[in-house]
Amino acid sequence: MNSCKEYTVVGQTRPTEQATGAGPLPDERGHFGIYGGRFVAETLMPPLNELNEAYQKYLKDPDFQAELDADLAHFVGRPSPLYFAERLSKQVGGARIFLKREDLNHTGAHKINNTVGQALLAQRMGKKRIIAETGAGQHGVASATVAARMGMECVVYMGEEDIRRQAINVYRMRLLGAEVVSVTSGSKTLKDALNEAMRDWVTNVDNTFYIIGTVAGPHPYPAMVRDFQAVIGRETRRQIMDMAGRLPDALVACVGGGSNAIGLFYPFINDTDVALHGVEGGGEGIDTGRHAAPLCAGSPGVLHGNRTYLMEDSDGQIIETHSISAGLDYPGVGPEHAWLKDTGRAQYAAVTDDEAMQAFHQLTRVEGIMPALESSHALAHAVKLAAGMDSDKIIVVNLSGRGDKDVHTVAALEGITV
Amino acid sequence: MSRIKGRFEELAQQQRKALIPYITAGDPQPDVTVPLLHSLVEAGADLLEIGVPFSDPMADGPVIQAACQRALEHHVTLHQVLDMVTEFRTTDATTPIILMGYLNPIEVWGYADFASAAATAGVDGVLTVDMPPEEAAALSAELGRHDIDTIFLLAPTSDEQRMELVSEVASGFLYYVSFKGVTGANRLDVASVGDKLQELRKHTALPIGVGFGIRDAESAASVASVADAVVIGSVLVGKIAELAERPTDIPAALSATVADMRSAIDAA
């Protein structure tokens, strides 16, 4: 794997020396070391301040938290099970592999944990209209779902290319009453959908709440989305203690923007004996340049409101990404992951399209669980890790979503029309 | 004294308002830009705003997005934009030049090296759309070392606290975004702009330019009645798009528009 180039910003030192967990991150302006922050046009600064104030207030508000907990239990279906994949573990012949079953959540992925939280916040803030960007469509569906439930207007921006790849999710969103806007600029994928959602927000900022689906964007989004997703890691801690009597040796999750990974990792950040592995979309292979792995093969820069690792050229233009998985097809990554990489607290690797496909088939056939192509990347890496570990070791994989939405993609690869 | 400050002082003495046209560098092709800049000055531009093409121009509407794409098809880089400024300066040493764009190309170059190269080329101000004052200290310091002004935006959403914050760090002039939205939208309301500018002047002595949504001589004149400078972008870039296949016609067409606005502003 390529190492990332050395980097400093004038007046700031590279954050490698500072111990992880030394203080709560991000700082009050949203910085994780040199990463994160708030890089947006002035028009959006006051609404971001307003959002941050509301978020800080309701984070500590018992009524808000009680309502959130009730929604997570009765609407989302939490806690999601932690499942021991016994046959898969035996087949691999190494560490015991457990799956955190976020695929069993309402709407089929972890994305709903965050949209339920942000929709409650939108309601408290008196916003009547929700906008969202989506890549694989899971966040779009999760946003359309909470909007339907709360009687809010919902507009979802989605790249034209992703609309083609994820037709079922597009139709689900429309059934839920959302307007899906096809974004035809740039690479016609998630990054362009995000640009367009930002343009909508700056135009309709008075009545609109922008639900960002991942741990990226301007402060407070990376911290807020992390906090809403951290329920994954909190449950996992309790469940693995019940099932195995100890903490796991390693956690593995796929990383597009990085919300399911941070959600799993965050409650374990200070448990330094628990290894954290993030898995990026390796596309056709890192060497080919056709991938979606900014942490493995990108460099720091500023995009979509935060400083983080990006896929960019030597002139700072954002370059197109390639991944079989629409949910990983993004040139940036959440700033907290950039920080975790630089501090060495988490390791990041890339898994190719082919490896992910193999893992998809393996889990489907061996455990009767059809994973999303995003989650298949995490599985593929976990299987590699497990094979090199003793059988008394424990790996938890975040099975962040179910694979139903990908059936057409898988079929097409095998030359089958469904 | 910076060229920007000097130009605004001259204009104030003449009791005239500044006209600042914007074009994207390298749109529709690189060899058009420098001659076009000279024509804009001849037609009555007081300052020039040069857009640095970026792949993800989040604050821009479709017209300027398309301009960025046309320029990027020719792989126009920030280095080349500075080369264009250098070339422009060989025959125009006085018209202030402001680069307008997004932070990432500057991030990747490195703040200190960019600031030094920009100064050598003859850049007078840098407006980075996605760099609010909270994130600006490091770049502003480097630009300041070379007497390049850091231009900041204010918007209809800016409250008194932000007016104060921005006024503290801004130099050259303040750029007031006339409405909530992206460039090129048709939402200009001059009365509300006037109200906001009155408020803003309590916090700053800097000249205030207004941009976004100014599409013709009439709206230019009307904005000039409340502002110190009128910035026009999408209307010019839209004409460039129409003439992309006939690039030699672009300077005359844009000059005509700028000259119209110039007379309307001066007559008001």
Side-chain angles (χ1 to χ4, degrees):
Chain A
M1 186 183 308
N2 310 15
S3 63
C4 298
K5 69 185 186 196
E6 288 295 309
Y7 183 72
T8 52
V9 165
V10 181
Q12 299 179 43
T13 52
R14 206 157 183 272
T16 37
E17 288 82 9
Q18 191 177 331
T20 321
L25 288 177
D27 68 15
E28 61 179 19
R29 283 184 177 177
H31 296 111
F32 301 86
I34 60 167
Y35 301 107
R38 208 180 253 177
F39 295 88
V40 295
E42 173 63 23
T43 311
L44 291 178
M45 290 300 284
L48 284 168
N49 283 332
E50 184 196 355
L51 173 62
N52 192 40
E53 278 163 28
Y55 177 58
Q56 296 302 334
K57 175 179 162 192
Y58 290 114
L59 187 63
K60 295 171 206 131
D61 179 79
D63 290 345
F64 180 87
Q65 291 301 331
E67 196 176 343
L68 176 60
D69 289 346
D71 278 1
L72 289 175
H74 304 296
F75 188 64
V76 176
R78 302 206 71 90
S80 68
L82 184 67
Y83 169 76
F84 175 38
E86 193 169 3
R87 288 206 346 125
L88 177 69
S89 303
K90 277 209 180 103
Q91 193 178 68
V92 173
R96 288 191 287 162
I97 300 171
F98 288 75
L99 306 176
K100 180 59 174 166
R101 297 292 308 275
E102 292 299 300
D103 60 315
L104 294 178
N105 292 340
H106 180 41
T107 72
H110 73 290
K111 293 292 186 189
I112 190 97
N113 302 329
N114 168 51
T115 58
V116 161
Q118 289 199 45
L120 286 177
L121 202 53
Q123 198 180 43
R124 294 283 200 286
M125 292 174 73
K127 306 285 183 183
K128 305 276 186 233
R129 179 174 179 268
I130 278 173
I131 58 170
E133 83 295 334
T134 198
Q138 291 303 109
H139 175 58
V141 168
S143 299
T145 298
V146 295
R149 177 165 177 251
M150 292 189 163
M152 291 173 171
E153 184 189 347
C154 180
V155 178
V156 179
Y157 290 91
M158 190 166 181
E160 191 180 44
E161 171 67 14
D162 291 336
I163 285 184
R164 188 188 59 71
R165 293 197 273 196
Q166 303 287 346
I168 293 175
N169 272 345
V170 174
Y171 187 53
R172 288 169 79 194
M173 288 182 259
R174 289 183 173 142
L175 287 172
L176 288 159
E179 181 191 347
V180 181
V181 178
S182 173
V183 177
T184 56
S185 57
S187 61
K188 306 179 177 65
T189 59
L190 179 55
K191 84 170 172 74
D192 310 283
L194 222 149
N195 292 337
E196 213 51 44
M198 284 278 187
R199 290 176 187 128
D200 179 311
W201 197 31
V202 83
T203 305
N204 301 296
V205 63
D206 294 335
N207 72 343
T208 296
F209 189 105
Y210 179 14
I211 302 189
I212 291 185
T214 193
V215 286
H219 179 62
Y221 283 101
M224 177 170 71
V225 176
R226 173 196 70 195
D227 293 346
F228 285 136
Q229 290 293 1
V231 65
I232 302 172
R234 288 197 301 270
E235 287 176 4
T236 301
R237 265 186 97 88
R238 282 199 302 273
Q239 290 167 322
I240 199 70
M241 290 306 290
D242 286 348
M243 293 170 79
R246 67 176 184 88
L247 294 182
D249 298 287
L251 304 176
V252 185
C254 64
V255 177
S259 68
N260 89 79
I262 283 287
L264 178 63
F265 294 173
Y266 189 62
F268 294 89
I269 286 274
N270 293 323
D271 302 302
T272 46
D273 290 340
V274 180
L276 309 177
H277 296 274
V279 186
E280 300 191 286
E284 297 171 16
I286 296 289
D287 319 337
T288 66
R290 292 174 58 80
H291 57 82
L295 288 166
C296 292
S299 52
V302 170
L303 179 71
H304 292 154
N306 56 177
R307 182 181 284 122
T308 187
Y309 279 87
L310 301 174
M311 302 272 295
E312 59 190 343
D313 68 16
S314 58
D315 193 49
Q317 306 298 342
I318 307 308
I319 57 182
E320 283 193 29
T321 52
H322 298 273
S323 173
I324 194 173
S325 145
L328 302 184
D329 215 349
Y330 178 65
V333 63
E336 192 160 11
H337 285 293
W339 162 256
L340 292 174
K341 173 192 161 68
D342 281 10
T343 56
R345 178 64 190 95
Q347 270 74 51
Y348 295 89
V351 152
T352 63
D353 292 348
D354 290 346
E355 292 170 323
M357 282 303 303
Q358 271 176 29
F360 171 89
H361 286 298
Q362 189 176 12
L363 193 72
T364 303
R365 295 297 291 268
V366 176
E367 294 286 354
I369 297 171
M370 197 176 289
L373 289 179
E374 291 76 16
S375 321
S376 301
H377 286 70
L379 270 169
H381 191 64
V383 163
K384 282 191 232 175
L385 288 174
M389 291 163 77
D390 292 337
S391 59
D392 62 342
K393 300 291 185 191
I394 297 171
I395 295 181
V396 175
V397 182
N398 197 357
L399 202 74
S400 55
R402 68 181 183 219
D404 309 42
K405 70 182 175 60
D406 297 311
V407 165
H408 282 85
T409 306
V410 175
L413 278 171
E414 312 206 322
I416 297 165
T417 310
V418 181
Chain B
M1 187 192 305
S2 86
R3 266 189 282 249
I4 295 175
K5 187 163 188 233
R7 178 56 51 99
F8 274 106
E9 284 181 4
E10 278 164 40
L11 288 163
Q13 276 164 14
Q14 301 161 10
Q15 296 187 312
R16 292 173 72 224
K17 301 298 176 78
L19 178 58
I20 311 180
Y22 164 99
I23 58 166
T24 303
D27 170 32
Q29 58 195 52
D31 61 358
V32 168
T33 302
V34 174
L36 178 56
L37 291 171
H38 287 301
S39 328
L40 294 173
V41 173
E42 279 163 36
D46 300 297
L47 299 86
L48 295 168
E49 223 176 75
I50 304 179
V52 179
F54 185 52
S55 53
D56 294 81
M58 282 189 320
D60 285 298
V63 172
I64 291 177
Q65 288 173 45
C68 284
Q69 279 182 4
R70 284 191 297 272
L72 288 175
E73 274 161 29
H74 295 278
H75 306 286
V76 173
T77 67
L78 181 53
H79 286 80
Q80 278 171 277
V81 176
L82 291 189
D83 290 344
M84 291 174 189
V85 175
T86 306
E87 192 188 333
F88 175 84
R89 281 280 174 245
T90 58
T91 52
D92 185 331
T94 56
T95 308
I97 289 183
I98 298 131
L99 295 189
M100 181 166 184
Y102 294 78
L103 186 55
N104 203 45
I106 299 175
E107 261 305 279
V108 167
W109 190 332
Y111 293 174
D113 290 349
F114 163 73
S116 158
T120 307
V123 169
D124 303 290
V126 172
L127 197 176
T128 312
V129 178
D130 54 351
M131 187 184 71
E134 284 87 340
E135 303 286 356
L139 179 57
S140 282
E142 291 298 334
L143 293 172
R145 234 185 280 287
H146 297 278
D147 294 320
I148 296 176
D149 291 315
T150 311
I151 314 294
F152 286 95
L153 301 172
L154 278 159
T157 53
S158 308
D159 55 17
E160 281 210 24
Q161 211 182 336
R162 295 206 60 81
M163 291 184 191
E164 193 60 41
L165 176 68
V166 171
S167 301
E168 274 171 26
V169 294
S171 62
F173 67 98
L174 287 174
Y175 185 129
Y176 181 72
V177 174
S178 68
F179 53 73
K180 298 169 202 159
V182 293
T183 52
N186 189 9
R187 311 179 107 203
L188 182 65
D189 171 9
V190 178
S192 73
V193 171
D195 291 346
K196 198 79 179 184
L197 261 48
Q198 239 176 1
E199 233 184 295
L200 183 48
R201 288 192 199 278
K202 292 178 198 155
H203 300 273
T204 184
L206 287 175
I208 303 173
V210 173
F212 283 41
I214 298 157
R215 21 194 354 112
D216 50 27
E218 193 191 346
S219 52
S222 140
V223 166
S225 69
V226 295
D228 304 300
V230 178
V231 184
I232 45 167
S234 293
V235 64
L236 300 179
V237 173
K239 286 188 198 301
I240 293 178
E242 285 167 24
L243 298 170
E245 302 303 319
R246 289 181 285 141
T248 47
D249 294 349
I250 291 172
L254 265 64
S255 295
T257 305
V258 168
D260 264 3
M261 292 192 176
R262 174 85 269 165
S263 352
I265 291 170
D266 291 347

